[in-house]
Amino acid sequence: SKAPFYISNKSLHSDLKIPTVTELAKLHYKRFKSRLIQHPNPLITQLSSATIPGNPQKRLKRQWCRDLLK
């Protein structure tokens, strides 16, 4: 794009119509989750649960893909 250094990423994304990393992650996770739900294997459909078994609710500022949908 040969944009000068002072042009913000937000401006570049909007002008060039490029999705942000967060938007791409949401899109791909939604596709992945819909494929998990529709899968014929019952073990794979269990992977689409909202929580991971044995995963404590309290965690440091770690972010999971499923948290993007909230």
Side-chain angles (χ1 to χ4, degrees):
S1 71
K2 296 186 181 180
F5 69 92
Y6 54 84
I7 301 296
S8 69
N9 286 340
K10 185 175 182 179
S11 298
L12 288 174
H13 283 283
S14 64
D15 292 345
L16 299 175
K17 296 180 175 81
I18 300 172
T20 62
V21 174
T22 305
E23 291 169 350
L24 276 176
K26 285 180 187 180
L27 173 72
H28 287 287
Y29 184 69
K30 285 179 184 179
R31 286 181 188 168
F32 174 70
K33 190 168 173 85
S34 70
R35 288 181 185 159
L36 283 179
I37 293 169
Q38 298 170 357
H39 203 277
N41 188 338
L43 295 175
I44 293 176
T45 55
Q46 291 175 2
L47 292 174
S48 66
S49 67
T51 59
I52 297 174
N55 187 22
Q57 289 296 324
K58 286 186 177 180
R59 58 183 191 259
L60 298 176
K61 295 181 182 179
R62 200 174 291 156
Q63 191 172 18
W64 297 89
C65 295
R66 64 180 178 266
D67 295 340
L68 293 173
L69 299 178
K70 293 180 183 177

